[in-house]
Amino acid sequence: MERTVGTTVRGLRGPIINQGDDLEKIVVDVVLNSAKAENYSIDDQDVITITESIVARSQGNYATVDDIAADVNAKFGDEPVGIIFPILSRNRFSICLRGMARGLKKVVLMLSYPSDEVGNHLVDIDELDEKGINPWTDVLTEAEFREHFGYKKHTFTGVDYIEYYKSLIEEEGAECEVIFSNNAKTILDYTKNVLTCDIHTRFRTKRILENNGAEKVYAMSDILTASNNGSGFNEAYGLLGSNKSTETSIKLFPNDCQPLVEGIQAKIKEETGKDVEVMVYGDGAFKDPVGQIWELADPVVSPAYTAGLEGTPNEVKLKYLADNNFADLRGDELKTAISDYIKNKDEDLVGAMEAQGTTPRRLTDLIGSLSDLTSGSGDKGTPFVYIKGYFDNYTK
């Protein structure tokens, strides 16, 4: 019978993961039991993905507000500090901000506008146009921002992040001044000590600040890179990739996941004889057209993956072939011509016209986005994702 289904994606349910659990064994058991119960096969080049959250939970990688405060205070002392470019997220940043404020005396909070780095908007860009404000050149005080735009709440969360973040800082006993700018150098008019909280642009921001007179510059990736009296930590990313756990603690991004993915791969091979690929995933990339958020709040989409997931897709565009190379063919003749073309395609299609329009992203980023959308971030209870046929094509 001719195959009628291409890629299939299954969110797999498993137990609630706690510190010390043997995650490698749990993942393998869940996959094998699911395949048996749902009557699907384990095949070469299938992909197993695991959300970063449960990896960190199994590692017990947690830290408290006091842990953050101690590290921040050790780095800055009692000097006024500019906290700049944070994303607007109760889950991702509120507890981190509380810890930062607890370790400081005065905070100058500089927010980017009209939106943060991942797309959460403080104000609609059309309103900037109406007011004649240029977000790339104009610096606004809190009073000026309120005068122009009033009090606005996030489309989905219902939170006024200016008010919320300022209140968190002041609740911790620190003085707070809020300004709005997209130019990192602006903060140096207020203080030479800066904690930059952007994610993917942090290296550029640090370089700009250091080249323009900043005295102390740290990023979130520099906070809790080592354990503080037994706390969790992340050597590579610090606070980046963390999530709220309780009102006084965070779960950090997982440490050293490579042995986990390779161990799962080896055990599946031992049990089934098949070579599957395995990766740990965090936030994918997809823009919400209403809320306008891009996701991408983790420092990387995948902190660990097996070797077969390295690289980018090497695919041709079927509609391009049908409209150009084989425009005069129809039916079985067209199908055969395209199938033969795919079977004989070059191993590297970078720059080839036949590949234009195929998604120019890394495999791990594509599969991470697919997994993130499948598992969701709520109560689906499917922290493992099983993907079949991802590497198949029209000829398979």
Side-chain angles (χ1 to χ4, degrees), residues 157-210:
T157 66
V159 173
D160 180 330
Y161 281 95
I162 302 167
E163 184 176 69
Y164 179 51
Y165 279 3
K166 185 175 183 179
S167 69
L168 287 179
I169 292 168
E170 292 178 340
E171 285 171 10
E172 293 300 329
E175 182 184 347
C176 181
E177 180 177 1
V178 182
I179 61 173
F180 303 82
S181 175
N182 291 305
N183 186 345
K185 290 186 287 186
T186 298
I187 196 64
L188 300 178
D189 294 333
Y190 297 80
T191 176
K192 304 299 183 186
N193 305 291
V194 186
L195 176 50
T196 183
C197 299
D198 46 346
I199 305 164
H200 307 290
T201 55
R202 64 190 184 276
F203 297 110
R204 178 174 183 267
T205 299
K206 287 180 71 175
R207 184 179 71 249
I208 289 170
L209 292 168
E210 290 166 349

Side-chain angles (χ1 to χ4, degrees), residues 6-175:
T7 302
T8 58
V9 186
R10 294 174 170 87
L12 305 187
R13 293 179 177 174
I16 302 299
I17 303 300
N18 290 302
Q19 181 176 352
D21 286 349
D22 186 345
L23 190 56
E24 184 178 298
K25 182 179 186 302
I26 289 171
V27 172
V28 172
D29 288 346
V30 164
V31 168
L32 295 178
N33 291 337
S34 170
K36 183 177 180 180
E38 300 296 326
N39 195 31
Y40 62 87
S41 60
I42 307 294
D43 295 310
D44 290 333
Q45 288 195 300
D46 286 354
V47 183
I48 300 167
T49 67
I50 307 113
T51 182
E52 59 80 20
S53 176
I54 63 167
V55 181
R57 284 181 61 82
S58 70
Q59 294 175 346
N61 202 22
Y62 292 85
T64 67
V65 168
D66 285 335
D67 295 327
I68 298 169
D71 198 355
V72 169
N73 184 260
K75 287 177 167 63
F76 290 105
D78 293 335
E79 296 294 325
V81 173
I83 295 178
I84 70 171
F85 301 152
I87 64 171
L88 308 176
S89 171
R90 293 168 299 174
N91 176 46
R92 290 286 189 171
F93 192 69
S94 64
I95 304 304
C96 293
L97 179 59
R98 191 178 289 281
M100 294 169 189
R102 186 172 294 186
L104 301 171
K105 299 295 185 183
K106 179 177 179 178
V107 171
V108 181
L109 179 65
M110 190 171 89
L111 302 174
S112 53
Y113 76 103
S115 70
D116 67 11
E117 179 183 2
V118 299
N120 289 302
H121 276 63
L122 286 171
V123 61
D124 193 283
I125 194 167
D126 290 331
E127 292 185 73
L128 300 185
D129 295 339
E130 292 170 7
K131 299 291 184 178
I133 294 173
N134 184 340
W136 302 111
T137 59
D138 295 344
V139 178
L140 302 176
T141 64
E142 182 181 3
E144 290 169 335
F145 187 94
R146 295 300 194 188
E147 180 182 351
H148 287 303
F149 308 115
Y151 289 76
K152 294 185 176 296
K153 295 184 177 180
H154 189 277
T155 302
F156 292 133
T157 66
V159 173
D160 180 330
Y161 281 95
I162 302 167
E163 184 176 69
Y164 179 51
Y165 279 3
K166 185 175 183 179
S167 69
L168 287 179
I169 292 168
E170 292 178 340
E171 285 171 10
E172 293 300 329
E175 182 184 347

Side-chain angles (χ1 to χ4, degrees), residues 282-286 301 361 364-374:
D283 267 358
F286 34 84
V301 173
R361 291 171 61 188
T364 51
D365 294 340
L366 289 162
I367 294 170
S369 297
L370 177 62
S371 300
D372 195 12
L373 283 166
T374 300

